[in-house]
Amino acid sequence: SRLLQLWGQISRTSEDRFRRAQTTVRLGSIMPLGYESEIARQLAKLTAGWAASHPRQPLFISSTTAEELLRGLKSGAFDVVLLDTETLPEDLEGAPIAASGLAVVGAKGNDIAAALRDRPIALPSPRSGLRLRIDALLDMTFDDTERNRLTLVEIDSIPVILNLVLHYGFASVLPLASVASIRPDLHSIPLPSTFDMQYWLCWLGSAGRSAAGIAVLDTIRRATMHAPP
């Protein structure tokens, strides 16, 4: 009788752990700039909506680079990912959920070329969607000779980049709304809407992944419809 009692206690906890592991939806996201960033707002909105609509299905969220997100999606580490990309890779399904305007920050005046030429530029590595936008801006603004003279410092941490801009005289290209929320007096030069960051929720096209992705997307859309003005 004692053995059966102990086995019942062990099996109950293991069954609960197994159920949680099997039902948990694992969402990977690019790293937010800060708590006021568009990514952070979208993830908070999703978490609150998911807890209300899926109380017995946990949602696990972690952040990393776009390259790691795609690798994790294909290996099964993530069921759904939030990416900053202009277009969705051909082997993925998904939909855009938000957009954010970009700006050159950390320099005076309104001349983009001067702002980027006169200061070291802190930027993420080519593994991020934001870096692709920055590279397009640099290609449009400078010829090859001028670009080779730029001082570029690659850092895969948006908070560190922001600190370099705020305290160490660097320039960068960052989401305008996020920067304005963190430091309203920080001078910025808004970029045309063609440089806007598109945030995509995406997943692999298999049956289980599609179901998880559609459920997460539906939660975000319903949360947006019922968000306070």
Side-chain angles (χ1 to χ4, degrees), residues 2 13 27 30 40 47 69 80 95 103 113 118 124 128 158-159 165 169 179 182 185 190 192 199 204 209:
R2 179 58 177 161
T13 57
L27 171 66
I30 51 176
T47 301
L69 291 173
V80 191
D118 297 341
S128 72
I158 298 298
V165 171
V179 172
I182 295 169
D185 62 338
Y199 301 117
L204 291 176
R209 304 291 186 84

Side-chain angles (χ1 to χ4, degrees), residues 29-30 32-49 61 82 97-101 175-182 199 220 223-224 227:
S29 169
I30 51 176
L33 176 61
Y35 80 97
E36 286 282 1
S37 71
E38 181 62 34
I39 300 169
R41 285 194 293 268
Q42 291 292 335
L43 292 178
K45 180 170 60 179
L46 166 63
T47 301
I61 301 176
L82 177 60
I97 61 168
S100 179
L176 178 58
S178 302
V179 172
S181 298
I182 295 169
Y199 301 117
I220 291 176
T224 300

Side-chain angles (χ1 to χ4, degrees), residues 9-148:
Q9 293 173 352
I10 294 171
S11 63
R12 279 197 300 272
T13 57
S14 63
E15 286 172 1
D16 183 62
R17 288 195 299 270
F18 179 77
R19 181 190 63 78
R20 289 180 63 86
Q22 290 299 105
T23 60
T24 294
V25 173
R26 297 155 298 177
L27 171 66
S29 169
I30 51 176
M31 292 172 279
L33 176 61
Y35 80 97
E36 286 282 1
S37 71
E38 181 62 34
I39 300 169
R41 285 194 293 268
Q42 291 292 335
L43 292 178
K45 180 170 60 179
L46 166 63
T47 301
W50 189 270
S53 59
H54 300 77
R56 294 185 57 80
Q57 186 176 22
L59 177 67
F60 174 76
I61 301 176
S62 61
S63 298
T64 185
T65 64
E67 184 179 66
E68 291 298 324
L69 291 173
L70 290 172
R71 184 180 295 120
L73 190 62
K74 293 175 182 178
S75 71
F78 298 120
D79 300 304
V80 191
V81 297
L82 177 60
L83 293 174
D84 51 349
T85 181
E86 185 173 359
T87 58
L88 202 62
E90 292 183 359
D91 57 340
L92 300 183
E93 298 177 355
I97 61 168
S100 179
L102 299 180
V104 176
V105 296
K108 301 298 183 182
N110 295 306
D111 186 334
I112 292 176
L116 296 174
R117 186 188 299 115
D118 297 341
R119 294 171 178 248
I121 305 170
L123 71 176
S125 76
R127 296 184 295 177
S128 72
L130 178 58
R131 175 59 181 274
L132 298 179
R133 286 288 197 278
I134 297 174
D135 283 342
L137 176 65
L138 296 179
D139 289 339
M140 187 182 74
T141 306
F142 303 105
D143 60 31
D144 290 343
T145 301
E146 291 174 320
R147 181 161 177 174
N148 288 336

